[in-house]
């Protein structure tokens, strides 16, 4: 198995467990595909789920998606999305945007504290400069995206 197949296998073992075991997973997948309840257990679906869990068969995308939707647990999709090359850049940009928001709020609070005479001009300037530094980093990152 490739690293990706191994990871999907492990994630799906956990998802099948979350669904209540192979029989319940088979029922949930079957229900998503429109199988009759009695056919799910009599047919090969339950045995197939067991073979997929023990690693002798791989997981097809439609069954992964069906079981995730049936359980409301999207662990495989989340792992796949996080493994996209752009995902790390997106996460970095999201973190930076949060930092800018936090630092700007701290700068505004420091200015308001200074104006109400409970803060100092030195602290207000320090917070404004920190906010500006984060905003400068955000602008630089966005310029890279625009290129």
């Amino acid at each position: 198995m490739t690293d990706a197949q191994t990871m999907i296998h492990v994630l799906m073992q956990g998802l099948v467990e979350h669904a209540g075991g192979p029989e319940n997973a088979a029922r949930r997948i079957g229900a998503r595909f429109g199988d009759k309840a009695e056919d799910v257990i009599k047919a090969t679906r339950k045995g197939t789920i067991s073979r997929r869990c023990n690693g002798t068969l791989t997981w097809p995308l439609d069954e992964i998606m069906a079981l995730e939707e049936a359980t409301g647990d999207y662990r495989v999709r989340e792992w796949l999305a996080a493994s996209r090359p752009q995902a790390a850049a997106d996460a970095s940009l999201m973190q930076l945007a949060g930092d800018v928001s936090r630092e700007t709020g701290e700068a505004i609070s420091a200015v308001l504290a200074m104006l109400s005479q409970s803060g100092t001009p030195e602290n207000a300037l320090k917070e404004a400069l920190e906010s500006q530094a984060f905003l400068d980093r955000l602008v630089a990152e966005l310029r890279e995206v625009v290129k």
Side-chain angles (χ1 to χ4, degrees), residues 5-86:
Q5 287 173 318
T6 300
M7 186 63 174
I8 291 169
H9 174 73
V10 169
L11 290 169
M12 287 305 294
Q13 282 178 316
L15 191 57
V16 168
E17 221 26 64
H18 176 81
E23 187 171 323
N24 285 332
R27 282 192 175 115
R28 288 176 176 219
I29 291 168
R32 289 285 178 183
F33 291 153
D35 295 349
K36 295 177 189 163
E38 64 274 5
D39 292 341
V40 172
I41 303 307
K42 286 192 288 185
T44 60
R45 195 173 305 280
K46 179 186 170 197
T48 302
I49 298 298
S50 293
R51 286 191 294 283
R52 288 196 173 108
C53 284
N54 71 26
T56 57
L57 291 175
T58 59
W59 287 92
L61 184 57
D62 60 345
E63 289 194 15
I64 292 171
M65 293 174 70
L67 190 55
E68 284 184 332
E69 289 167 6
T71 60
D73 182 340
Y74 298 92
R75 62 181 73 186
V76 176
R77 288 184 218 191
E78 289 167 1
W79 176 77
L80 288 170
S83 67
R84 287 182 16 244
Q86 186 60 35

Side-chain angles (χ1 to χ4, degrees), residues 64-141:
I64 292 171
M65 293 174 70
L67 190 55
E68 284 184 332
E69 289 167 6
T71 60
D73 182 340
Y74 298 92
R75 62 181 73 186
V76 176
R77 288 184 218 191
E78 289 167 1
W79 176 77
L80 288 170
S83 67
R84 287 182 16 244
Q86 186 60 35
D90 291 347
S92 175
L93 200 54
M94 180 75 74
Q95 178 64 48
L96 192 51
D99 291 341
V100 167
S101 178
R102 183 190 69 246
E103 292 297 330
T104 302
E106 289 174 5
I108 291 169
S109 292
V111 169
L112 294 174
M114 178 193 76
L115 292 173
S116 69
Q117 299 181 347
S118 65
T120 65
E122 294 80 13
N123 189 52
L125 178 60
K126 174 184 94 58
E127 293 296 339
L129 290 171
E130 288 176 6
S131 175
Q132 184 179 25
F134 276 99
L135 191 55
D136 289 344
R137 283 181 48 206
L138 179 60
V139 168
E141 290 286 328

